[in-house]
Amino acid sequence: MIEARRLHILRAVADHRTVTAAAAALYLTPSAVSQQLTALEQETGHRLVERGAKGVRLTPAGEILLSHTHAVLAQLERAEAELAAYGAGEAGTVTVAAFATGIAQVVAPSVARLARSAPGIRIRVQDAEGDASLPMVLDRQVDVAVAVEYRGAPAADDPRLTHVPLYAEPFDAVVPVTHRLADGPEVPLAELAKDPWIGPYPGNPCHDVVVLACENAGFQPRLEHSSDDFRAVVALASADVGVALVPRSALRGMDLAGVVVRPVDGVAPTRRVFAAVRRGAEEHPLIRPVLDALHAAAEDA
């Protein structure tokens, strides 16, 4: 008989690629993870992982078991959801991880909405970029992630997650008031090919949006200044040290003295925001109202 908790460990090892990283995500010791993997191999009668200098990879037998693991764990999430529904499940805590502007745009309004419609649900919010929040959901550190599509992100049909689209927003060009393109109604990205750029660090999903937009315009941006805080990005642009692309919602309420904000000529670079939960958990009586509130807040934004 295969124990479900060992399947959680197998998936964590597959996700994190090392025993040490998987152990940290699961709040276990590396030796405990190794022991559970050994026990799982004994239960299945197959070698499931291979250890090498660059980490751990699954054997063909491990890949077969992993494909079933996604379905088994999703079904267990559904079982928990139905049991919670049976027991009313009207009170409890849901933890939501979201990036800063996502918190302002949809999470905070959702908290206010739920305080009226489902006062028994307590929301705990954690600030985390999309590339961090999705692993947090998979590792059961949080219940819901509000994340942004990015290169390498789990696809919408990933068997581990259920995606709920929320909203899409364009990036606007931010240039110093003294910039040669400041007087135009729109900014052609190709005209910024030789400018110094200000943008998020690699790994931030918005970094991918900026780089891809510039690549589509025929150049690689020369990123001379880096910050994940868009207030800092705008402040640097106002100091005339470079140009930037900033999500429109991040500019709301910001001091824009010293810069000009213009839409991008042609197809605007866009970030697509979604909520994600572990597959099978979407109908949990505590999580379903949160997803509905996030969706409603996105429609109202």
Side-chain angles (χ1 to χ4, degrees):
M1 179 70 69
I2 298 174
E3 290 194 20
R5 63 192 177 94
R6 290 178 181 146
L7 295 180
H8 280 292
I9 290 172
L10 179 70
R11 187 158 80 177
V13 169
D15 287 343
H16 294 280
R17 304 295 181 184
T18 70
V19 168
T20 300
L26 296 172
Y27 299 102
L28 297 172
T29 64
S31 62
V33 169
S34 295
Q35 289 170 8
Q36 292 299 317
L37 286 174
T38 300
L40 185 59
E41 290 178 329
Q42 292 172 347
E43 288 173 346
T44 61
H46 293 279
R47 187 177 181 186
L48 302 175
V49 297
E50 291 180 346
R51 293 169 174 79
K54 295 184 178 180
V56 176
R57 69 179 184 87
L58 299 189
T59 64
E63 293 288 355
I64 291 171
L65 183 57
L66 181 65
S67 67
H68 290 285
T69 293
H70 298 323
V72 169
L73 295 183
Q75 191 59 42
L76 287 174
E77 293 282 357
R78 294 186 189 100
E80 290 182 8
E82 289 190 20
L83 287 170
Y86 176 77
E90 295 178 352
T93 300
V94 176
T95 305
V96 180
F99 56 99
T101 51
I103 292 174
Q105 184 98 339
V106 293
V107 177
S110 297
V111 172
R113 186 185 300 265
L114 287 165
R116 298 188 299 270
S117 63
I121 298 178
R122 176 174 176 263
I123 306 296
R124 293 180 62 246
V125 180
Q126 296 185 20
D127 189 332
E129 292 297 338
D131 58 327
S133 62
L134 293 176
M136 291 168 73
V137 168
L138 290 171
D139 293 335
R140 305 179 71 86
Q141 296 173 9
V142 300
D143 303 301
V144 181
V146 175
V148 178
E149 292 180 2
Y150 61 94
R151 294 180 186 181
D157 61 352
D158 190 294
R160 301 169 297 172
L161 295 168
T162 293
H163 284 221
V164 178
L166 295 178
Y167 64 93
E169 66 171 328
F171 281 56
D172 289 325
V174 177
V175 301
V177 292
T178 56
H179 196 274
R180 63 190 182 280
L181 300 178
D183 293 333
E186 296 179 328
V187 172
L189 276 187
E191 301 267 342
L192 300 176
K194 295 184 179 179
D195 284 81
W197 278 74
I198 313 156
Y201 285 100
N204 185 316
C206 289
H207 174 89
D208 289 344
V209 175
V210 171
V211 171
L212 183 60
C214 293
E215 288 175 352
N216 289 337
F219 69 98
Q220 284 282 340
R222 179 162 53 91
L223 284 162
E224 291 196 357
H225 310 279
S226 298
S227 175
D228 287 334
D229 184 336
F230 286 116
R231 292 185 183 275
V233 170
V234 170
L236 287 168
S238 71
D240 202 6
V241 300
V243 299
L245 289 174
V246 177
R248 189 165 292 172
S249 67
L251 295 167
R252 293 176 184 168
M254 195 180 293
D255 180 4
L256 300 176
V259 298
V260 170
V261 178
R262 293 288 184 265
V264 173
D265 184 27
V267 179
T270 301
R271 68 173 174 182
R272 291 172 175 80
V273 180
F274 62 94
V277 299
R278 292 180 296 277
R279 189 172 292 264
E282 60 273 12
E283 295 304 328
H284 191 287
L286 293 178
I287 292 177
R288 180 77 260 168
V290 175
L291 294 177
D292 290 343
L294 288 169
H295 189 267
E299 289 188 333
D300 292 345

